[in-house]
Amino acid sequence: MNLDNIDPKLWKRIAHRFDLKYFDYFGREWGWVINRFVSRENRVVMRGIKCKRGFSETDLVIYLPNHRSHYDYLVLGYMFWEQGMKIPRFAAGENLFFWPFDNLWRKLGAYAVDRGNMDWNYRKTMVEYVTHLVVDEKCDQIDFVGGGRSYTGRLQEPKLGLLGVVWKASQQIQENVVGQPVFLDYDPGVIEEKYFEALKKFKYSNQYWAYVGLDLYAFFKQFIWPKEIKLSIEFGDPFSIKKCKSKKELGEKVQSVLSEMACESMMDEFGI
């Protein structure tokens, strides 16, 4: 890719700075965090992980999970590291990139997305950056299908912005690009759930620091007063993103698979 016309300040504002040594250190330390986060008996239930073993080493894997909690990043990253899998890069809201977390998120593979920024130059740079991840870096990625967190627990309609860029970029390379649906289910619910109504109010009324403060409180409260939670991570059947004829078809495919997985999870919960 020719990046000569890219704004270097915007590129730096977006870009990850993934460091495997940094990730190895936090991977070793995250074991106790996971144990504080979920029930020691149940810990994390993973289903369908063996399907990942069928991928070729040259395949690019785009993990396509629903998004329930900020803990999604934490637990998915830890599980990839624990299973000896390649660590994917992932998009995170730019509102999370403030001191002292900015460097941490970027070192762990996050790149910053300002979803509300309609500036043409910014959006052009974002498209070029995500294309660069596929075409040049050829790294696995996590793309939360609904964009931000679901405040209702229901599956959200697919956001086709970044997903569409990945689909278009996949047509430019020879490697197979695999879409891997992932369904995350928290029982009895996510840590932030009781605060979602207030978080929505602060977020959509532009009360930024009230939103961030409550979000941080909800996140770190788990370490002080841990709540027993069972987390299920289910890997669905992978498919070829390159074979999708359009980004709309890709979005419909992912939504269909995740909806089916959600129904199966509900039926298992009620013993049906």
Side-chain angles (χ1 to χ4, degrees), residues 196-250:
F196 276 163
E197 285 302 318
L199 286 168
K200 281 195 296 184
K201 178 181 177 181
F202 292 144
K203 181 176 182 179
Y204 297 119
S205 61
N206 295 319
Q207 299 181 59
Y208 175 75
W209 286 111
Y211 172 80
V212 170
L214 183 57
D215 226 3
L216 287 173
Y217 172 77
F219 185 87
F220 286 108
K221 182 181 178 183
Q222 178 64 13
F223 300 106
I224 305 171
W225 302 288
K227 175 183 177 182
E228 292 293 304
I229 287 180
K230 178 180 179 181
L231 170 59
S232 172
I233 304 175
E234 183 170 359
F235 290 75
D237 294 330
F239 62 92
S240 173
I241 288 179
K242 297 181 74 170
K243 290 182 179 179
C244 293
K245 296 179 181 179
S246 67
K247 66 179 182 181
K248 181 180 179 181
E249 181 181 325
L250 172 57

Side-chain angles (χ1 to χ4, degrees), residues 52 58 89 152 158 189 201 211 222 238:
K52 169 66 177 73
T58 60
R89 312 300 178 261
T152 64
K201 178 181 177 181
Y211 172 80
Q222 178 64 13

